[in-house]
Amino acid sequence: MIDLEETATQTGPKGVINDWRRFKLESMDQENLPPAKKELLRQMSSPSKPKDDTRANLNRKMSVQEYELLKEEDEGCLKKYRKRCMQEMHDKLSFGPRFEGVHDLASGEAFLEVIEKEHYSTVVVVHIYKVGVKGCEELNNCFNCLATEYPTVKFCRIDAVASGASERFSDEVLPTLLVYKAGELLGNFLACTQHLNEEFFATDVEAFLNSYGLLPEKELASMEDEEENDVE
């Protein structure tokens, strides 16, 4: 058995209550609390029961004083607590690698390597482009945005000439989007901008890929946006 102070995030009604109690204590500005509340916090965070009675201490019911103290907390703290719990859950369930930015592939060999050797759970999205072809530059800019939104997806781009297959990827079929996972081709979209409006943005490319179920769910994005809105 371990002390309440050392307990990790728990599940079940009692575990959640105790974990919330710990989070609440850590979040409060104790320097500006009145003496009575400081003493209550000391009792809550430093129980006087002996070590061999920590099970009873961990599972004890919340006192009226504790309840009154906890319910004074604003919604901001609760949202932070909820976000932390969700992040911990996500970290436990996420086993694949994470990436930063868009990866430029310099050759056909680099293209084959990223397809064949990437982690089996990683979605790889490749943009085959050519400088001067309509839509290619815009799609590259969209990739820059999407790479920050989906850190578990590997976004890559390669010049059609550098790929060694320029005869296969002529200007008429560019820009081309290829989507792979575990070495398997999941999506092959030639001249993909024909499926988009003449003026398109990252959200349009995202919606297009999602219409085929090719992107994973975003990570806590809705909660972060909600917190930013509350701050404003």
Side-chain angles (χ1 to χ4, degrees):
M1 295 298 296
I2 54 179
D3 239 348
L4 174 63
E5 297 254 323
E6 301 168 350
T7 306
T9 303
Q10 307 168 63
T11 56
K14 292 180 180 179
V16 172
I17 289 174
N18 281 296
D19 191 53
W20 165 247
R21 180 188 286 123
R22 291 175 59 243
F23 184 84
K24 164 68 180 179
L25 296 178
E26 295 167 359
S27 303
M28 296 190 71
D29 182 8
Q30 300 189 28
E31 293 298 325
N32 297 323
L33 289 176
K37 286 190 176 180
K38 283 186 178 181
E39 175 60 20
L40 178 57
L41 288 176
R42 185 192 67 78
Q43 295 175 12
M44 291 169 65
S45 60
S46 303
S48 57
K49 294 186 179 183
K51 288 285 184 179
D52 58 359
D53 196 23
T54 49
R55 178 183 292 275
N57 175 58
L58 184 62
N59 294 330
R60 65 186 171 85
K61 293 182 179 180
M62 189 182 298
S63 68
V64 175
Q65 287 178 305
E66 287 178 307
Y67 174 75
E68 291 296 330
L69 181 61
L70 293 180
K71 79 172 186 177
E72 292 176 4
E73 186 54 61
D74 58 17
E75 292 184 1
C77 186
L78 180 59
K79 289 176 182 176
K80 291 179 182 178
Y81 171 73
R82 192 176 69 194
K83 179 182 175 182
R84 189 197 69 174
C85 291
M86 292 184 66
Q87 185 62 55
E88 289 177 355
M89 182 183 300
H90 178 272
D91 292 342
K92 290 179 181 178
L93 297 176
S94 297
F95 303 104
R98 300 170 68 86
F99 308 95
E100 293 184 3
V102 180
H103 298 258
D104 288 294
L105 306 178
S107 65
E109 289 75 13
F111 172 80
L112 292 176
E113 183 175 357
V114 76
I115 300 307
E116 296 173 354
K117 296 186 178 180
E118 194 51 70
H119 192 276
Y120 69 91
S121 68
T122 297
V123 173
V124 180
V125 185
V126 182
H127 172 209
I128 301 178
Y129 69 95
K130 187 176 180 181
V131 176
V133 174
K134 184 178 180 181
C136 287
E137 182 179 357
E138 291 83 351
L139 191 56
N140 276 333
N141 292 333
C142 292
F143 263 41
N144 293 333
C145 297
L146 292 176
T148 63
E149 295 287 334
Y150 295 90
T152 61
V153 176
K154 189 165 189 175
F155 288 91
C156 307
R157 58 190 169 213
I158 183 170
D159 187 286
V161 176
S163 71
S166 56
E167 69 284 351
R168 179 180 176 186
F169 295 105
S170 61
D171 293 0
E172 289 72 25
V173 300
L174 297 180
T176 289
L177 277 182
L178 304 177
V179 184
Y180 295 86
K181 185 176 182 181
E184 180 183 355
L185 180 64
L186 302 181
N188 181 10
F189 307 103
L190 303 177
C192 61
T193 51
Q194 66 180 318
H195 303 290
L196 306 170
N197 295 325
E198 185 172 352
E199 185 179 16
F200 62 91
F201 304 94
T203 52
D204 301 310
V205 179
E206 177 185 29
F208 172 70
L209 292 173
N210 275 328
S211 68
Y212 290 91
L214 296 174
L215 292 178
E217 292 186 5
K218 287 185 179 180
E219 302 178 358
L220 304 178
S222 59
M223 291 191 64
E224 291 174 357
D225 292 342
E226 183 181 342
E227 286 190 0
E228 291 178 0
N229 292 335
D230 288 343
V231 171
E232 293 175 358

